[in-house]
Amino acid sequence: MAKILDDGILKQVQEVFAELSNPVHVLFFRSRENCEYCDETQQLLEEVISLSGKLSIEVFDLQDDAETAARYAVERTPAYVIAGKDGDQIIDYGVRYSGIPAGHEFTSLINDLLIVSRRDSGLTPQTRAYLAELKQPLLLQVFVTPT
């Protein structure tokens, strides 16, 4: 399959990745059947991951690796988790994507890799204090469509 990202984009992303400070591990979930964009998403992630030694990827099958998918609350494919890595330990920060990160989502992917690498969300002290006061779990989902 031909490269998805052109050399200019790869160079720009590689320059941004000079700011990566801690290892990041991407857990990619795909399905063998009826998974539109699984191949393209995996290829795109692998192209991005190859740009830095601080990034790694692990590929899972949603059905064969159902226990791992359940552990990370992955229910559909293609999907991926952006997690920290400390030695063999995977640190789950709750960052999940469903679908291919094309268009504006590509920038979000790169930014999330940087944020997880820094191990800091960049939230203001006021926002952190507000969140610390929450008494029950909060599920925040952001949906983006190409329309």
Side-chain angles (χ1 to χ4, degrees):
M1 195 181 296
K3 283 188 349 184
I4 293 175
L5 300 172
D6 68 40
D7 291 338
I9 297 295
L10 291 171
K11 183 178 180 196
Q12 288 177 1
V13 172
Q14 192 167 29
E15 289 171 4
V16 169
F17 283 171
E19 298 176 27
L20 292 169
S21 49
N22 293 292
V24 176
H25 190 64
V26 175
L27 297 89
F28 176 66
F29 293 85
R30 58 175 300 134
S31 296
R32 291 181 304 276
E33 300 173 11
N34 300 322
C35 184
E36 189 173 16
Y37 300 115
C38 273
D39 291 339
E40 294 86 350
T41 304
Q42 182 175 345
Q43 181 181 343
L44 178 66
L45 290 171
E46 288 174 348
E47 287 180 23
V48 169
I49 298 302
S50 72
L51 298 174
S52 173
K54 292 191 177 180
L55 302 174
S56 58
I57 187 169
E58 189 171 3
V59 178
F60 298 93
D61 179 271
L62 188 65
Q63 290 77 29
D64 293 345
D65 301 304
E67 185 177 312
T68 303
R71 182 178 331 127
Y72 291 100
V74 173
E75 300 173 348
R76 64 187 69 80
T77 61
Y80 54 99
V81 175
I82 300 176
K85 190 167 185 181
D86 186 8
D88 291 336
Q89 182 184 5
I90 303 299
I91 307 160
D92 185 6
Y93 292 103
V95 180
R96 309 283 190 275
Y97 280 79
S98 293
I100 188 167
H104 294 294
E105 297 85 18
F106 183 74
T107 301
S108 297
L109 164 66
I110 302 306
N111 284 330
D112 284 344
L113 291 168
L114 289 169
I115 289 169
V116 169
S117 177
R118 290 183 191 123
R119 308 293 196 258
D120 182 57
S121 65
L123 295 174
T124 65
Q126 295 86 355
T127 301
R128 291 173 198 257
Y130 174 79
L131 293 173
E133 296 295 319
L134 293 176
K135 303 294 184 217
Q136 53 188 320
L138 174 70
L139 175 65
L140 175 64
Q141 295 180 326
V142 178
F143 295 88
V144 180
T145 64
T147 57

